[in-house]
C-alpha cells in the first residue's frame, strides 16, 4: 500500500538458497540465518581436510555473527592480501555467497519507491563510505539505490532509497554486515561490573600485596606494578562497544529492564552476601602468569550471583550490545595483571586475554610461590546490591570507574 510499511522477506531460490536483490556477494561473510550458504571453495582431501589451510572444523563450525537478533554464519573463503591495502576498502560486493535479508527491519513504501532507515554511529560512517567514497558508490550501483549518510561527526540515520524494494533490502543487508564487521574491530568502551572495592576488601587486598612483595619479590617478574588499584577492584560481567549516546541509553534501559525481568525474583529485595577468597591464574603455566585473580562466590553456597551474571550477559548478547565469548560468566576479580606494568588504569577485555599484539608486549611473572603461599587467602565478605555500566579508562570521585548507568536491587 502506498505510504505503508511492510517487513522485508527473504526470496527463496532453487535448492533452498535464499537471495536478495543485487545477486550473490562476498567480502568473507556468508549468510546462513534459516537458509543455507554455498560450501567453501577449494577441493577436499580424503578425510575431510580442506586444501588451502582451512580445517574441516572451520567449515563445519564457522564463526557466528549476531545481527538484529538473528544469527548468521561467517563462511570461510580464500582471500588474497595486497600491498598497501587500506581497511576502508573492505566491501561486501558481488561474489560467491548470497544476501539473505531478514524481517528485522522495516521497508517503507513512498511516492517515489521504497526507503529504509538504519541507525549507525557516526564513527562507523567511514566504513560505509569507503576510500574516496568507493564503497558507497559500489553499493548504490549494484543495488540501484541511493544511500544518504549524515555529515562526519553528526549522529543520525542512514537512509536508503530506491525504485525496487528488493534493492533497498539488499543495500540494507550489506550495510548491516559492514557495520557489524567493523564494530567488532573497535576497542570496548564500557563494561558491566559489580564493584568489589568496599573498604574492608581494599584493606585485605593491600595486606595481600604487602605480603606478596615481602615473600615473593625475588621471583621472576614480581613487583608492585602488577597489582590492581584497590579502588577499582571489580567483577566483570561482560564488555560492550557503545559508540554514541543513543547506544549508551539503550544499554541503560536494558539494564533497568532486567530488574523486572529476573533480578527482583532472584534477590528477593535483599543484597547478595558474597565472599572474595582464594586465588587462581588464567593460563596453563604457573611459572609464566599474565593474570592472577581472586575467586568470588556466594557466602551461602547458592548460585544467585552466577545466575544474575549469566542472565545479564544473555540479555545483552541477545540485544546485540555484547558479544558472547563464554557460555558462563567467570566470577572473579583481577588482582595482578601484567598489563598494569605499562598502564595501571587499563581494563582488560573480560579480564582474560587480549590480542596477539598485547600478548607480545607482556612480561609474565612466576607465580608458583604466590599460589603456594596464598592459595586460600581470604579477602573478606561484602554486600552486593547494584550493577554498574562502567566506562573504560575513567575514574569517579570514589576512585572507582565512572558510571554511565546503574541498576540497584532495591
Amino acid at each position: 500500500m502506498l505510504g505503508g510499511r511492510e517487513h522485508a522477506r527473504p526470496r527463496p531460490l532453487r535448492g533452498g538458497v535464499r537471495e536478495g536483490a543485487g545477486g550473490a556477494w562476498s567480502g568473507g561473510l556468508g549468510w546462513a540465518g534459516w537458509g543455507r550458504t554455498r560450501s567453501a571453495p577449494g577441493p577436499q582431501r580424503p578425510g575431510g581436510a580442506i586444501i588451502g589451510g582451512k580445517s574441516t572444523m572451520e567449515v563445519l563450525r564457522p564463526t557466528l555473527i549476531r545481527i538484529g537478533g538473528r544469527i548468521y554464519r561467517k563462511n570461510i573463503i580464500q582471500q588474497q592480501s595486497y600491498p598497501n591495502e587500506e581497511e576502508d576498502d573492505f566491501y561486501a560486493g558481488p561474489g560467491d555467497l548470497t544476501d539473505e535479508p531478514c524481517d528485522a527491519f522495516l521497508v517503507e513504501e513512498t511516492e517515489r519507491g521504497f526507503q529504509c532507515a538504519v541507525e549507525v554511529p557516526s564513527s562507523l560512517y567511514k566504513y560505509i563510505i569507503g576510500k574516496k567514497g568507493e564503497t558507497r558508490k559500489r553499493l548504490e550501483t549494484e543495488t540501484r539505490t541511493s544511500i544518504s549518510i549524515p555529515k562526519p561527526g553528526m549522529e543520525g540515520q542512514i537512509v536508503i532509497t530506491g525504485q525496487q524494494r528488493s534493492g533497498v533490502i539488499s543495500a540494507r543487508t550489506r550495510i548491516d554486515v559492514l557495520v557489524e564487521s567493523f564494530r567488532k574491530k573497535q576497542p570496548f568502551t564500557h563494561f558491566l561490573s559489580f564493584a568489589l572495592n568496599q573498604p574492608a576488601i581494599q584493606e585485605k587486598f593491600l595486606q595481600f600485596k604487602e605480603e606478596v612483595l615481602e615473600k615473593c619479590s625475588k621471583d621472576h617478574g614480581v613487583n608492585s606494578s602488577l597489582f590492581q588499584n584497590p579502588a577499582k577492584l571489580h567483577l566483570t560481567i561482560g564488555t560492550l562497544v557503545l559508540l554514541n549516546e543513543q547506544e549508551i541509553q539503550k544499554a541503560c534501559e536494558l539494564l533497568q529492564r532486567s530488574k523486572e525481568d529476573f533480578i527482583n525474583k532472584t534477590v528477593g529485595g535483599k543484597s547478595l552476601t558474597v565472599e572474595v577468597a582464594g586465588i587462581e591464574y588464567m593460563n596453563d603455566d604457573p611459572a609464566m602468569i599474565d593474570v592472577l585473580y581472586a575467586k568470588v562466590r556466594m557466602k551461602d553456597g547458592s548460585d544467585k550471583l552466577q545466575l544474575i551474571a549469566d542472565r545479564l550477559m544473555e540479555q545483552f548478547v541477545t540485544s546485540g550490545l555484547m558479544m558472547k565469548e563464554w557460555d558462563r560468566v567467570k566470577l572473579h576479580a583481577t588482582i595482578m595483571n601484567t598489563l598494569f606494568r605499562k598502564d595501571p588504569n587499563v581494563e582488560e577485555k573480560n579480564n582474560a586475554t587480549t590480542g596477539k599484539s598485547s600478548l607480545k608486549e607482556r612480561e609474565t611473572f612466576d607465580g608458583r610461590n604466590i599460589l603456594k603461599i596464598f592459595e586460600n587467602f581470604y579477602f573478606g565478605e561484602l554486600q552486593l546490591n547494584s550493577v554498574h555500566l562502567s566506562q573504560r579508562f575513567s575514574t569517579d570521585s570514589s576512585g572507582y570507574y565512572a558510571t554511565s548507568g546503574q541498576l540497584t536491587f532495591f
Side-chain angles (χ1 to χ4, degrees), residues 78-92:
Q78 290 182 326
Q79 295 179 326
Q80 291 179 309
S81 46
Y82 300 92
N84 303 318
E85 184 176 34
E86 296 189 23
E87 184 178 56
D88 285 359
D89 287 335
F90 176 96
Y91 174 66

Side-chain angles (χ1 to χ4, degrees), residues 167-186:
V168 172
I169 293 171
S170 181
R172 166 64 191 264
T173 302
R174 300 182 194 195
I175 288 174
D176 282 347
V177 174
L178 283 168
V179 169
E180 187 67 17
S181 299
F182 285 107
R183 177 183 287 277
K184 289 182 178 179
K185 296 183 179 183
Q186 309 304 310

Side-chain angles (χ1 to χ4, degrees), residues 197 202 228-234 344-345 393-395 399-401:
N197 62 346
Q202 290 195 48
Q228 172 68 283
N229 178 345
K232 291 192 171 181
L233 287 167
H234 67 279
N345 296 313
F393 302 130
S394 68
T395 304
Y400 193 63
Y401 298 95

Side-chain angles (χ1 to χ4, degrees), residues 226 228 279-286 288-294 330 332-340 348-354 359 362-365 367 371:
L226 292 171
Q228 172 68 283
I279 59 173
E280 287 186 0
Y281 58 104
M282 286 292 186
N283 54 306
D284 297 327
D285 187 353
M288 299 179 66
I289 294 178
D290 281 314
V291 178
L292 189 75
Y293 62 89
K330 189 173 185 65
H332 72 284
T334 295
I335 53 177
M336 297 174 70
N337 191 329
T338 54
L339 286 181
F340 295 155
E348 189 174 16
K349 189 170 185 180
N350 285 351
N351 293 325
T353 57
T354 55
L359 291 174
R362 291 185 167 196
E363 177 193 350
T364 61
F365 66 94
L371 290 163

Side-chain angles (χ1 to χ4, degrees), residues 31 95 153 222 278 328:
W31 294 94
V222 176
R328 304 190 76 190

Side-chain angles (χ1 to χ4, degrees), residues 261-262 266 306-316:
D261 289 348
F262 59 88
T266 304
Q306 185 72 61
L307 178 62
I308 289 173
D310 289 344
R311 287 291 302 274
L312 281 169
M313 178 190 70
E314 290 170 6
Q315 187 150 317
F316 274 79

Side-chain angles (χ1 to χ4, degrees), residues 40 44 47-62 76:
Q44 294 186 351
I50 306 297
I51 293 177
K54 304 299 180 185
S55 68
T56 302
M57 293 309 296
E58 286 180 294
V59 175
L60 296 180
R61 301 182 65 181
I76 299 297

